[in-house]
């Protein structure tokens, strides 16, 4: 009917007729349960770019809008079997706004809120004529007048709601004015039947409270019932791979890894690009360049670089996301940076352990591109040494391993505090970085004394390589490191593993430098 009021369904029509379409319509049943229920009718879903947010917004608009008949588009879809389907199909007034349409140039920052109101009011005028007058209360006042005359409410669908915070990163007055506009539009408004917003970032915080805290948020941290509806699930990707004759195992290695609720989720953009091109590579640079990632991982927060190194080595790292202000400029520590990277799609989050990790090979490549320049002096050179170090480890050549460790120490000295226990662990992870081709994710025993760290590498299934039990000592001997492995029975940990095990003691002394002893474990 209008551009913003009761839009037609063309966008969703194009989606369902595409060669690659995954039916996510059952999400509508969740939204139907929230209609006109004051406590739950405000919903904000945040996901990284290219996770299907706009498609979901188009789907909801096509379903609810009085401006079209979408019966055929939903025929034989999952939602058709739901009891509430017919009751709400094309029965509601919908206001659909893509904020980015009003904010694609810096000159628009001072006028975009007014332009949004003008555009929507223009559509409302065509439908409701002289039912209202425009006053100082703007769009909220107009909607209130219409509701007073007609008792008809509205469903609001707002896409790219957070683009203000990405476009005007440093301009807090503009951000606050925008949040105040949204608060005025929604809070306590009788005319709101349902409000659905979607974007990359959760709602911006000011102090301890949000300016629009009426919204229930469903993010990468707390996906709630929406976990499976944004992105492709394992079953959906496996089905596509069979249909298009694509190697599912390789697809999983490259693009799986986003743990959202109980679901393993794939970025739909990556999967569809793979199917279109048939080439396994990173498609992330088409949506987010590595320079954007580099800005954040280069920030000078204590422990940030060590955490990134751990994650590059397939280690999960615990974070506290509660202090993140949900913008792109306010950072008080490394956890705030890591939380932002999670929302941007560079990390995944295990809700049960409160740990983040790099989800897959595609994203690992973006991290590697980002560390090749900037404040990561020597890391790439150190990682390149890893192949030779691993080979010498298998050959039980402790002297050669010690020499490679010394070189890695020199190359990363400007980046890591070598006397710090976490940094000692990072040194091991850098040294054995290439082990990820042969071994499962490293198992860490956190330091329980002064100056040591333990790492266990178990070989992947069907890989004929020895397990590695590594102990590093500070200002002690490599012999004492191996002795500790034996005394504390670290090699007994993998009880179900029956293959060869190597005990690796690596010591660093301020005077003697690095020493290493490697022994093959003899089972008792």
């Amino acid at each position: 009917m209008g551009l913003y009021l009761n839009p037609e369904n063309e966008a969703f029509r194009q989606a369902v007729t595409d060669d690659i379409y995954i039916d996510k319509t059952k999400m509508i049943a969740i939204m139907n349960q929230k209609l006109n229920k004051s406590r739950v009718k405000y919903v904000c879903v945040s996901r990284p770019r290219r996770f299907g947010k706009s498609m979901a917004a188009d789907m909801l608009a096509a379903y609810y809008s009085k401006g079209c008949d979408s019966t055929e588009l939903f025929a034989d879809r999952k939602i058709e079997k739901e009891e509430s389907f017919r009751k709400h199909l094309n029965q509601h007034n919908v206001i659909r706004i893509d904020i980015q349409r009003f904010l694609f140039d810096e000159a628009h920052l001072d006028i975009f809120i007014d332009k949004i109101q003008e555009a929507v009011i223009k559509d409302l005028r065509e439908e409701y004529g002289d039912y209202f007058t425009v006053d100082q209360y703007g769009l909220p006042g107009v909607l209130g007048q219409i509701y007073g005359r007609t008792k008809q409410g509205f469903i609001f669908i707002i896409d790219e709601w957070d683009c203000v915070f990405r476009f005007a990163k440093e301009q807090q007055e503009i951000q606050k004015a925008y949040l105040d506009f949204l608060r005025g539009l929604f809070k306590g408004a009788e005319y709101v039947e349902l409000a659905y917003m979607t974007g990359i970032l959760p709602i911006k915080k000011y102090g301890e409270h949000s300016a629009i805290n009426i919204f229930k948020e469903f993010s990468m941290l707390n996906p709630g019932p929406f976990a499976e509806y944004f992105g492709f699930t394992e079953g959906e990707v496996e089905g596509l791979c069979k249909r298009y004759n694509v190697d599912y195992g390789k697809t999983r290695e490259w693009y799986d890894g986003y743990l959202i609720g109980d679901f393993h989720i794939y970025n739909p953009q990556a999967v569809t690009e793979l199917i279109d091109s048939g080439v396994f590579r990173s498609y992330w640079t088409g949506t987010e360049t590595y320079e954007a990632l580099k800005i954040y991982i280069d920030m000078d927060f204590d422990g940030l670089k060590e955490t990134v190194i751990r994650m590059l080595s397939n280690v999960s790292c615990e974070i506290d996301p509660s202090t993140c202000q949900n913008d792109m400029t306010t950072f008080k520590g490394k956890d705030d940076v890591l939380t932002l990277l999670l929302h941007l799609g560079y990390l995944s989050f295990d809700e049960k352990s409160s740990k983040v990790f790099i989800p897959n090979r595609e994203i690992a490549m973006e991290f590697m591109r980002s560390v090749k320049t900037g404040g990561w002096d020597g890391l790439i050179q150190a990682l390149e040494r890893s192949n030779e170090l691993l080979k010498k480890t298998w050959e039980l050549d402790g002297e050669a391993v010690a020499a490679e460790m010394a070189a890695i120490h020199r190359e990363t000295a400007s980046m890591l505090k070598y006397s710090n226990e976490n940094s000692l662990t990072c040194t091991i992870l850098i040294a054995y970085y290439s082990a990820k081709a042969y071994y499962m994710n490293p198992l860490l025993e956190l330091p329980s004394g002064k100056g040591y760290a333990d790492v266990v590498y178990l070989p992947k299934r069907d890989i004929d390589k020895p397990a590695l039990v590594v102990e590093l000592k500070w200002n002690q001997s490599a012999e004492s490191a191996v002795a500790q492995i034996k005394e504390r029975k670290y090699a007994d940990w993998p009880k179900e593993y029956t293959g060869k095990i190597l005990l690796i003691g690596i010591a660093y002394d301020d005077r003697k430098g690095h020493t290493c002893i490697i022994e093959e474990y003899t089972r008792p």
Side-chain angles (χ1 to χ4, degrees):
M1 185 178 296
L3 284 175
Y4 309 100
L5 174 65
N6 293 332
E8 297 185 357
N9 56 23
E10 183 57 30
F12 185 59
R13 181 183 300 277
Q14 292 181 23
V16 299
T17 56
D18 196 287
D19 290 340
I20 301 174
Y21 169 73
I22 299 295
D23 186 353
K24 301 287 186 179
T25 58
K26 201 169 180 180
M27 170 187 161
I28 294 170
I30 299 174
M31 300 307 297
N32 284 345
Q33 293 174 354
K34 299 177 181 297
L35 274 165
N36 287 311
K37 295 180 180 178
S38 59
R39 192 175 59 85
V40 295
K41 68 180 180 179
Y42 299 96
V43 174
C44 182
V45 175
S46 56
R47 291 293 188 278
R49 191 178 298 280
R50 308 303 185 193
F51 266 66
K53 301 184 299 298
S54 293
M55 195 282 286
D58 293 336
M59 176 183 71
L60 292 175
Y63 174 74
Y64 287 119
S65 174
K66 284 183 177 181
C68 56
D69 181 358
S70 299
T71 304
E72 63 168 313
L73 295 183
F74 290 100
D76 299 322
R77 307 292 177 196
K78 293 178 180 179
I79 184 60
E80 194 178 34
K81 299 177 181 178
E82 296 293 323
E83 184 178 348
S84 64
F85 171 67
R86 293 288 174 187
K87 180 179 179 180
H88 298 290
L89 178 63
N90 301 130
Q91 297 299 308
H92 295 265
N93 287 314
V94 171
I95 294 177
R96 164 80 158 91
I97 304 172
D98 183 344
I99 301 298
Q100 195 161 270
R101 290 186 180 182
F102 296 89
L103 192 58
F104 52 86
D105 188 275
E106 190 171 352
H108 301 152
L109 286 171
D110 293 330
I111 62 171
F112 81 99
I113 295 175
D114 291 338
K115 292 301 181 183
I116 290 171
Q117 296 188 88
E118 290 173 11
V120 177
I121 289 173
K122 181 180 178 181
D123 275 9
L124 290 168
R125 179 72 71 189
E126 293 181 7
E127 177 67 18
Y128 294 101
D130 60 356
Y131 275 33
F132 62 85
T133 58
V134 181
D135 55 22
Q136 68 271 26
Y137 295 105
L139 179 58
V142 167
L143 292 169
Q145 293 174 59
I146 293 172
Y147 181 78
R149 294 281 297 271
T150 66
K151 299 305 178 185
Q152 294 180 10
F154 296 85
I155 291 176
F156 294 82
I157 300 173
I158 298 181
D159 197 13
E160 298 280 1
W161 88 272
D162 63 324
C163 69
V164 179
F165 304 98
R166 294 182 276 119
F167 193 80
K169 296 179 182 179
E170 305 287 348
Q171 303 185 51
Q172 292 201 5
E173 286 303 313
I174 290 173
Q175 296 175 14
K176 190 173 185 304
Y178 173 60
L179 287 173
D180 287 342
F181 164 66
L182 293 177
R183 180 177 57 188
L185 182 63
F186 294 128
K187 195 163 188 177
E190 291 182 306
Y191 53 74
V192 178
E193 293 184 336
L194 182 70
Y196 173 87
M197 299 200 308
T198 185
I200 295 175
L201 299 176
I203 293 173
K204 161 75 178 176
K205 299 176 183 177
Y206 279 102
E208 296 181 356
H209 303 287
S210 165
I212 43 174
N213 55 13
I214 54 174
F215 277 82
K216 175 69 174 179
E217 298 196 67
F218 301 95
S219 68
M220 295 287 279
L221 287 165
N222 304 293
F226 296 99
E228 65 183 293
Y229 296 111
F230 294 89
F232 292 167
T233 65
E234 287 181 293
E236 291 164 350
V237 173
E238 187 173 10
L240 288 171
C241 287
K242 288 179 180 178
R243 177 181 170 188
Y244 291 97
N245 196 28
V246 175
D247 186 330
Y248 174 61
K250 197 171 180 181
T251 302
R252 184 171 53 198
E253 176 191 348
W254 270 87
Y255 308 112
D256 185 18
Y258 290 101
L259 187 58
I260 303 179
D262 293 327
F263 293 88
H264 280 258
I265 297 294
Y266 293 66
N267 183 331
Q269 175 80 0
V271 175
T272 54
E273 291 278 5
L274 166 65
I275 291 173
D276 287 342
S277 68
V279 178
F280 288 92
R281 63 178 178 86
S282 174
Y283 295 101
W284 195 256
T285 51
T287 58
E288 299 283 346
T289 62
Y290 83 90
E291 288 90 350
L293 173 60
K294 181 180 178 299
I295 289 171
Y296 298 111
I297 65 174
D298 279 352
M299 288 187 170
D300 188 22
F301 289 113
D302 187 42
L304 179 58
K305 286 184 169 60
E306 288 92 334
T307 299
V308 171
I309 289 171
R310 284 170 174 254
M311 292 190 296
L312 281 170
S313 300
N314 291 343
V315 175
S316 299
C317 298
E318 190 169 351
I319 67 166
D320 176 7
S322 64
T323 61
C324 183
Q325 295 298 298
N326 298 336
D327 63 17
M328 304 184 80
T329 57
T330 308
F331 304 105
K332 296 180 180 178
K334 72 179 179 70
D335 283 357
D336 292 347
V337 177
L338 297 174
T339 304
L340 175 62
L341 293 180
L342 169 64
H343 292 307
L344 294 177
Y346 288 112
L347 297 176
S348 185
F349 180 69
D350 185 341
E351 194 174 359
K352 295 176 182 177
S353 64
S354 294
K355 291 183 177 181
V356 290
F357 54 93
I358 296 174
N360 52 47
R361 185 172 175 181
E362 180 185 42
I363 302 302
M365 288 179 66
E366 297 307 310
F367 271 89
M368 290 301 291
R369 288 190 181 103
S370 297
V371 302
K372 284 183 178 178
T373 59
W376 298 81
D377 297 340
L379 179 59
I380 298 300
Q381 295 92 321
L383 294 178
E384 289 172 351
R385 293 182 180 276
S386 180
N387 278 321
E388 184 65 19
L389 185 143
L390 186 59
K391 178 183 176 183
K392 294 301 181 183
T393 299
W394 292 333
E395 295 173 356
L396 308 185
D397 190 344
E399 185 176 342
V401 169
E404 293 292 341
M405 286 291 299
I408 290 171
H409 182 189
R410 289 193 301 271
E411 289 160 350
T412 60
S414 64
M415 188 174 59
L416 300 176
K417 298 176 181 177
Y418 198 74
S419 60
N420 178 279
E421 290 177 351
N422 288 329
S423 296
L424 297 179
T425 304
C426 287
T427 303
I428 296 176
L429 296 174
I430 293 171
Y432 287 99
Y433 177 78
S434 61
K436 64 198 308 181
Y438 308 94
Y439 293 87
M440 294 185 290
N441 294 349
L443 303 168
L444 304 187
E445 180 180 68
L446 296 178
S448 58
K450 182 178 180 181
Y452 69 86
D454 301 301
V455 187
V456 175
Y457 291 90
L458 292 177
K460 294 179 179 178
R461 187 183 299 272
D462 301 325
I463 295 290
D464 185 21
K465 297 296 181 184
L468 310 178
V469 180
V470 186
E471 175 74 14
L472 191 148
K473 285 291 186 181
W474 175 260
N475 281 339
Q476 296 183 51
S477 67
E479 290 85 355
S480 67
V482 172
Q484 179 170 312
I485 295 174
K486 295 176 180 178
E487 290 168 5
R488 300 193 181 184
K489 299 182 179 180
Y490 294 157
D492 290 348
W493 187 91
K495 294 181 180 179
E496 296 180 1
Y497 175 71
T498 57
K500 184 188 295 186
I501 300 175
L502 300 184
L503 311 184
I504 306 166
I506 299 173
Y508 177 75
D509 184 278
D510 290 329
R511 294 175 291 105
K512 296 179 181 178
H514 296 80
T515 55
C516 176
I517 291 178
I518 305 173
E519 296 182 7
E520 186 172 340
Y521 177 62
T522 302
R523 297 179 186 278

